[in-house]
Amino acid sequence: MRFSTTVIALAAAVSANPLNTFRSERQSLVRRDDLAIPGDNPLKYCDADRGDDIITIEKVDLTPNPPEAGTTLVIEASGTVKETILEGAYVNLQVKYGYIRLINTSADLCKEIKNVDLDCPIEKGKISITKSVDLPKEIPPGKYTVEADVFSVDDEHITCLTATVVFGKKSFGSILGDL
């Protein structure tokens, strides 16, 4: 599993589930607009209580938004890291295709962030990421839902993001045009 895959899946969202399935305490129902991450993107926070999060996301822009199979997705993100993130940080990742769970795992955040040209420790302060990702033409049509709940080595909450993207079927005429 690659962190860039997680970023792509999160960035590819068009709507999201407002409840976090990894964190059971302090769940809250809020308006979906209150969970939106600023910028030209469809990303959402998992829940409304983000006061203790180590990262504040200021903006995420996706081009194109929503993402399309067979195109290059450009992700531009900025935010503030409130505390240095050390080796041992991890992400609980869940990916579903419709109602079918494809992935439910924990991954080493510091190992995976190398795919977006970052290394641990991630120092306190402002941070910006720009990443281009070629999306394959062969993405099976359907609804994909991703949730990434991120923690420090000391189990302090870094952030939690959720996203859903729907990839449609290509029309028969457009497939013939690709031949």
Side-chain angles (χ1 to χ4, degrees):
M1 174 192 47
R2 298 182 53 177
F3 182 71
S4 60
T5 303
T6 304
V7 171
I8 294 165
L10 287 171
V14 293
S15 67
N17 175 359
L19 296 179
N20 177 346
T21 58
F22 285 108
R23 293 176 25 196
S24 59
E25 73 276 0
R26 298 180 300 175
Q27 293 293 326
S28 60
L29 292 174
V30 295
R31 286 186 9 199
R32 295 180 127 213
D33 292 346
D34 295 341
L35 300 174
I37 293 175
D40 186 18
N41 72 78
L43 299 171
K44 306 281 183 183
Y45 290 105
C46 298
D47 59 46
D49 185 8
R50 298 181 298 278
D52 294 333
D53 286 2
I54 293 175
I55 289 180
T56 301
I57 300 171
E58 293 163 4
K59 186 176 183 181
V60 177
D61 288 324
L62 304 181
T63 307
N65 181 28
E68 299 171 11
T71 65
T72 299
L73 176 65
V74 178
I75 305 161
E76 296 177 279
S78 61
T80 302
V81 178
K82 298 176 192 173
E83 299 174 24
T84 300
I85 299 170
L86 303 172
E87 290 282 342
Y90 62 97
V91 58
N92 291 326
L93 178 67
Q94 185 175 87
V95 180
K96 292 181 181 178
Y97 175 72
Y99 292 107
I100 301 167
R101 186 178 302 146
L102 300 176
I103 298 171
N104 190 22
T105 191
S106 185
D108 181 334
L109 179 69
C110 292
K111 179 180 174 186
E112 301 301 327
I113 64 169
K114 293 177 188 219
N115 294 308
V116 291
D117 304 323
L118 291 176
D119 289 305
C120 281
I122 301 172
E123 298 296 333
K124 177 179 176 180
K126 296 277 185 183
I127 189 169
S128 294
I129 298 169
T130 300
K131 183 71 176 178
S132 295
V133 181
D134 292 326
L135 299 177
K137 290 182 189 179
E138 301 80 17
I139 297 173
K143 176 180 162 184
Y144 295 83
T145 304
V146 176
E147 181 171 291
D149 202 3
V150 188
F151 294 89
S152 74
V153 66
D154 298 321
D155 292 324
E156 293 180 60
H157 200 244
I158 294 175
T159 194
C160 183
L161 305 175
T162 186
T164 301
V165 62
V166 177
F167 286 98
K169 295 179 183 178
K170 278 190 156 186
S171 69
F172 185 68
S174 67
I175 291 171
L176 289 177
D178 291 342
L179 298 177

